[in-house]
Amino acid sequence: MTIGVVDYGIGNLYSCFKAIEAAGGDVVMMDRPQELVGADALVVPGVGDFGACVRALRQGGFEEPLREMLAKERPVLGICVGMQMLFEGSDEAPGEDGLGILAGRVRRLGPGVRLPQMQWNTLSYVPSPIASESNDSSTSYPSLFRGLPEGLWVYFVHSYGVALGEFTTASSCYGDTFSAAVQRGLLYGTQFHPEKSSSVGLSILRNFVEIVREMNVKREVERA
Amino acid sequence: MESVRVIPCLDVRAGRVVKGVNFLALRDAGDPVALGAYYESQGADELVFLDINASIEGRATLIELVRRCAESVFIPLTVGGGVDSIASAEALLRAGADKVSVNSSAVAEPNLISDLAQRFGRQCVVVAVDARRRHDRFVVVTHGGRRETEIDALEWVSRVTELGAGEILVTSMDRDGTKDGYDLALLASISSAVNVPIIASGGVGKQQDFVDGVLQGGAQGLLAASVFHFGELSIASVKTALSDAGISVRQTGEPDGDIHASRT
């Protein structure tokens, strides 16, 4: 099993790498686009400015292999701006298109709260009938929160967020309610930082690693 | 929901904890990483490493320390001390720090704040403001309190926030080490002057001080060093006091107690 952490030149990926490792994953940093399609799963981190992240991803040539992985239904986890980039665009960088894989826009949080939200906050699970469906809706995929109780405390750092939508699987509230986690099939996104959310975050990452492992087994069986 | 963070601060020098610490649970309480991991297990919401005297050689040791911390401690880490350029900040962030804290160097060169914010995002930039009362106002002091400036603390926090500070760490140099409680007037005035999170620091001695820091000071982060290091207060007891006062704070007992047990 190989989980690739996509190193497209943005921010600190070391904690992310170490947290997935601590969650039991075989993890590799991938700073060349052609490496991505060889992985069993990808983690796409992202910090700082939405526009800077999207530009770095595109200019580095990572967008196509990422889409290829999604088309092949390989598990992908976007974290923070890595999740926001999956949407159509962000008010943080109006001139920069997002990847548009999920419908919706990233908007400024609030009003009436200190920004960035830089704190621990709780998750409320949101039932989504379509989040777990496969591309052809023939299969249902597991949740990132499988087996975990309601009301988990996780760590957030962001000034922008996505409103609740059809792919929201967990919400949180800061001034207003926003999507704390999204899922479409095997594409997962968290607005919070599981790699900074202590044992709760490691449990969530452990679920992701477990899902990657199960999907590998499933493919082996189908091939046989 | 808005919640507050309880943040132990470790003063480090040459890769070791400076202030004496004695915990039976720890084999090497002088190792900042071991102590950081211990505080994480006790429910700390975030950690701060401060190395105010980091020399050239000391910086390499600090970076190595941050790297080791990122390998085993999975809560946010802020590192301060000697950050005076994009390069020195980048080295710490690449090693695994989530935020860097700038203090004297920002006073000497305020554009450092905007440079850091543009390069890494404002969420990475903590501006530490050491303030001291002078008559009816607060002035900024630098170099660990050794140098006074004429800069008004309230004007300064507004300016650094405009420049790109994502968070303000406010230390009262009058209260630091006294255990008389945070300087609530200082906190309240800074908290109402800016719209970024505020971390209170300096003077905390008992549980009620943490509660007052939030209810009267308006702080979002509550930093303490010696009361935790000497075991005078536990993080859990502080969190209970905060909770009892109606303040929202992360609880690490139930419901995720089982998760803790399963951690390897």
Side-chain angles (χ1 to χ4, degrees), chain A residues 3 6 55 84 138 160 163 172 199 201:
Chain A
I3 298 177
V6 184
R55 274 194 300 278
Q84 294 181 357
S138 59
Y160 294 80
S172 193
S199 45

Side-chain angles (χ1 to χ4, degrees), chain B residues 202-217:
Chain B
V204 75
K206 56 186 188 302
Q207 286 173 7
Q208 187 61 34
D209 296 338
F210 289 87
V211 173
D212 292 343
V214 179
L215 297 184
Q216 295 178 50

Side-chain angles (χ1 to χ4, degrees), chain A residues 12 14-15 18-19 22 47-48 113-122 148-150 152-153 155 157 173-174 195-200 202-203 206, chain B residues 1-3 5 40 45-46 67 70-71 74-76 93 95-99 123 166-167 191 194-197 220 248-251 259-260 262-263:
Chain A
N12 153 44
Y14 192 60
S15 324
K18 281 296 174 187
V47 294
V113 283
R114 280 173 201 269
L115 295 179
Q117 168 174 221
M118 184 137 44
Q119 62 164 19
W120 296 75
N121 208 334
T122 52
L148 299 177
E150 267 282 356
L152 295 176
W153 284 90
Y155 186 73
V157 183
C173 185
Y174 190 70
E195 78 280 16
K196 289 289 162 187
S197 296
S198 197
S199 45
V200 166
L202 292 186
S203 300
R206 205 174 288 125
Chain B
M1 163 181 47
E2 290 176 62
S3 67
R5 290 163 283 153
E40 180 189 5
D45 296 313
E46 193 169 321
R67 204 172 169 77
E71 286 170 4
F74 298 108
I75 54 175
L93 294 170
D98 298 282
K99 304 180 245 183
Q123 81 289 339
E167 187 166 56
S191 151
V194 296
N195 204 31
V196 296
Q220 286 71 46
S248 173
V249 62
R250 176 177 72 120
Q251 300 299 334
I259 295 165
H260 256 288
S262 68
R263 181 163 169 189

Side-chain angles (χ1 to χ4, degrees), chain A residues 55-211:
Chain A
R55 274 194 300 278
L57 191 82
R58 288 216 163 100
Q59 288 167 5
F62 293 95
E63 183 178 356
E64 282 318 307
L66 177 61
R67 288 185 188 277
E68 196 180 323
M69 289 291 277
L70 290 172
K72 287 198 291 185
E73 294 209 290
R74 295 290 188 273
V76 172
L77 170 62
I79 298 174
C80 196
V81 183
M83 170 195 124
Q84 294 181 357
M85 288 195 297
L86 304 171
F87 290 84
E88 291 161 9
S90 171
D91 289 355
E92 187 176 14
E96 205 71 49
D97 285 340
L99 300 179
I101 295 161
L102 300 176
R105 261 190 95 73
V106 186
R107 301 195 186 282
R108 199 165 169 85
L109 294 174
V113 283
R114 280 173 201 269
L115 295 179
Q117 168 174 221
M118 184 137 44
Q119 62 164 19
W120 296 75
N121 208 334
T122 52
L123 297 180
S124 299
Y125 298 142
V126 178
S128 165
I130 59 165
S132 60
E133 278 183 7
S134 62
N135 287 358
D136 58 7
S137 62
S138 59
T139 317
S140 184
Y141 291 125
S143 158
L144 214 45
F145 305 107
R146 185 169 61 179
L148 299 177
E150 267 282 356
L152 295 176
W153 284 90
V154 291
Y155 186 73
F156 291 87
V157 183
H158 62 134
S159 296
Y160 294 80
V162 181
L164 303 200
E166 52 186 350
F167 298 109
T168 304
T169 54
S171 72
S172 193
C173 185
Y174 190 70
D176 205 350
T177 310
F178 62 91
S179 292
V182 294
Q183 180 182 357
R184 200 186 87 181
L186 284 170
L187 171 62
Y188 302 89
T190 64
Q191 179 62 70
F192 59 91
H193 289 268
E195 78 280 16
K196 289 289 162 187
S197 296
S198 197
S199 45
V200 166
L202 292 186
S203 300
I204 293 166
L205 290 175
R206 205 174 288 125
N207 272 347
F208 182 72
V209 170
E210 212 40 59
I211 291 166

